[in-house]
Every structure is written in structure tokens, then in C-alpha cells.
Amino acid sequence: MTLTAAPSPPEAAASLLDRLTGRARAPRAERAVVVLHDVTKRYPNGKEALKDVDLVVPEGDFVFLVGPSGAGKSTLMKLLIRDELATKGVVVIDGADLARIPRRRVPKVRRKIGIVFQDFKLLPRKSVWENVAFALEVTGTPRRRIRPAVDSVLAVVGLTGQAQQLPTQLSGGEQQRTAIARALVHDPRIIIADEPTGNLDPVISWEIIQLLLRINELGVTILMATHDAEVVTALRKRVVALEDGRIIRDEMSAAYHRED
Ligand SMILES: Nc1ncnc2c1ncn2[C@@H]1O[C@H](COP(=O)(O)OP(=O)(O)O)[C@@H](O)[C@H]1O
Ligand SMILES: [Mg+2]
């Protein structure tokens, strides 16, 4: 399927994919922030981690990505931040086809996505405040804009009082909230969280989930990979289930029962 080479069609003839991705003008409510169309990812060793994946995520959605270890959840997320390129198919973030954007525009598209990992990935010698500020410093944000931005995201995640602590002085939940603040500081459209509660006990996991729900209510689209069947089932959000690289289920208000 050719997305950009074709002459622009009259608006009425625009495909659903074009409308969803903003290639053709679409009413805002119909816009999708994430589109994967017929995506296959084969790693250099021949492993097909994703096979013919189709996924459309409208702005403001909260999506759980579930499935056993090795199903392809992390690979899908790596495609969204252009850490990896699709072998086949199209990945579109907020209207930008990731395989076709010029290299110089990659950082700008990446900043639309905040990412949160299972193991937090904080800089150990920097304080909470500095960890969050660093994300802005590396993108050349002027000093005067950094302070208010960092202060406000630390307030959102409830860490104003711990701003000067080092990661080693924090609980696991506080470390993950620091990572969420860092993900938020660029004012992203999407937060991708790859098993963000994987290292946390159940009570703290719920705190992190509540925080992600609150951020979602602020209008940020959330895509969260998890093994936590209890959390997924309790919240009745959209559930996309991967197995062996394929989407085997995509349901609204769904439950999740692990079979592994
Ligand atoms: N860089 C890589 N090279 C080769 N195979 C990989 C690579 N990354 C992941 N895989 C394989 O792709 C499959 C999907 O992995 P992954 O996306 O990490 O799954 P999940 O996050 O659901 O556990 C697994 O079989 C994994 O071993
Ligand atoms: Mg993974």
C-alpha cells in the first residue's frame, strides 16, 4: 500500500487509514495518535517478533498490551519510538510515518512519546529534580523554561518533597514516579509504559496505575504492557492481547486471564 507516493486524492476518497493518521484532513475526534498497519518485525537473526499487526489507538485511549513473555510487546513499543524500524508495514505516530520522516525530524516526533520502563532507568548520581531536568537539558530547552516544567511535573506525580533525593534514597514506587515525571516533562501526547509495575509490590503497583489513570484523564494517551491480570481485569480498559507476534484479541472494557 502506498501512502505518500500517490497523488493526493479528493477528500471524500481518502482511505480510513489516511483519515486516521491525519494524511487526509479528518475531524479531530477521529484522529488516531498511533497507527500500525500490517506491521511485521523481523530481527536480523530471523526472529519474527511481530506478524501482520494492525492497531489503531485514538487520542485519549488507555490501552493494556498483554500477552506472555516473548509475545512481542516490547518490540511493538520499540517500533513506536523508532528504536527499531518495521520490516514491513507502516507505523504512524500523530500523522508522521516513522519510516519516511527525515532524520532531523525524528527527535521532534520522539518527544511526543514519553516512555517508562520496568527498571526505571534513572541516573544514579542525579537527584530526582536533576533526573527530570536532564531530559529537557539534552534537548536544548532554555534554563528558564526547565525550572517551572520540572516543578510542575514533580507536583503531578507527588514528589515535590523528594526533589533533592537521589534515586537510591527512594522507594521503588517513588523511583517509578520520578521516571513518570521524566516521561511527562516534554508534554507528550502518548505515554508508553513497558511493564512499569513489574518490579513493584501490589500496593505500590496500584499507586502507579492510579497515577497513569490520572495522567490519562489529562488527555494523554496511554499504552501499557503488563503481566498483571488483576489490574487489567479490575480496570476494564481496552485490552490488546499479543501471542507469538500476532494480535489475538482487541477488546474494549475487557478482562485478562493469564494462561502462562
Ligand atoms: N534484538 C532482538 N534480536 C532478536 N530477537 C529479539 C530481539 N528482541 C526481541 N527478540 C525476540 O522477539 C520476541 C519478542 O520479544 P519482546 O518484544 O521482547 O516480547 P515481550 O516484550 O512480549 O516479552 C522474543 O522471541 C524475543 O526473544
Ligand atoms: Mg517485554
Side-chain angles (χ1 to χ4, degrees):
M1 178 176 185
T2 308
L3 282 171
T4 53
S8 45
E11 198 148 359
S15 73
L16 179 63
L17 181 66
D18 286 350
R19 288 167 61 81
L20 284 168
T21 58
R23 262 175 217 301
R25 255 172 291 138
R28 201 172 162 72
E30 240 182 80
R31 277 281 291 277
V33 282
V34 174
V35 178
L36 280 82
H37 179 67
D38 203 17
V39 168
T40 292
K41 174 62 188 178
R42 190 181 314 114
Y43 284 110
N45 66 357
K47 172 74 195 178
E48 277 199 354
L50 292 175
K51 298 164 190 166
D52 309 322
V53 167
D54 282 299
L55 180 68
V56 174
V57 181
E59 179 129 62
D61 233 9
F62 193 118
V63 183
F64 284 118
L65 193 59
V66 303
S69 182
K73 304 181 296 296
S74 295
T75 298
L76 194 155
M77 294 183 158
K78 284 178 187 161
L79 293 177
L80 300 184
I81 55 170
R82 208 177 180 277
D83 236 15
E84 295 283 352
L85 285 172
T87 310
K88 180 170 78 71
V90 187
V91 180
V92 186
I93 297 296
D94 198 24
D97 178 340
L98 296 190
R100 290 172 184 263
I101 50 172
R103 192 171 293 271
R104 66 186 148 74
R105 275 193 57 213
V106 170
K108 185 158 180 258
V109 174
R110 264 212 188 136
R111 285 201 293 277
K112 295 182 184 203
I113 304 182
I115 183 149
V116 178
F117 301 96
Q118 177 171 356
D119 57 356
F120 322 134
K121 297 199 193 300
L122 300 174
L123 297 165
R125 291 173 197 285
K126 289 186 184 289
S127 70
V128 166
W129 200 94
E130 289 165 342
N131 263 277
V132 177
F134 188 68
L136 292 174
E137 284 161 14
V138 294
T139 58
T141 307
R143 197 81 223 163
R144 66 177 192 290
R145 299 241 303 272
I146 292 179
R147 181 161 295 281
V150 175
D151 288 346
S152 81
V153 289
L154 287 181
V156 169
V157 303
L159 283 181
T160 303
Q162 283 91 331
Q164 298 313 322
Q165 309 212 147
L166 293 173
T168 49
Q169 298 171 310
L170 301 175
S171 68
E174 288 167 338
Q175 290 184 57
Q176 194 57 298
R177 283 192 275 143
T178 305
I180 291 171
R182 180 182 56 188
L184 272 180
V185 80
H186 280 296
D187 196 15
R189 305 282 292 278
I190 309 161
I191 295 246
I192 291 175
D194 196 354
E195 306 199 26
T197 61
N199 282 347
L200 304 174
D201 67 44
V203 172
I204 304 300
S205 293
W206 271 111
E207 279 179 31
I208 295 297
I209 302 286
Q210 296 300 332
L211 176 58
L212 291 173
L213 288 168
R214 196 142 46 80
I215 290 165
N216 179 239
E217 280 164 15
L218 298 173
V220 181
T221 306
I222 310 246
L223 192 58
M224 170 173 162
T226 186
H227 279 297
D228 194 334
E230 195 184 316
V231 164
V232 174
T233 299
L235 290 179
R236 300 280 156 179
K237 296 290 188 184
R238 180 175 174 190
V239 174
V240 173
L242 278 170
E243 199 175 291
D244 196 20
R246 292 185 194 279
I247 292 183
I248 55 161
R249 188 158 72 91
D250 184 350
E251 276 181 81
M252 308 305 285
S253 312
Y256 172 43
H257 305 288
R258 282 174 67 164
E259 275 141 39
D260 57 316

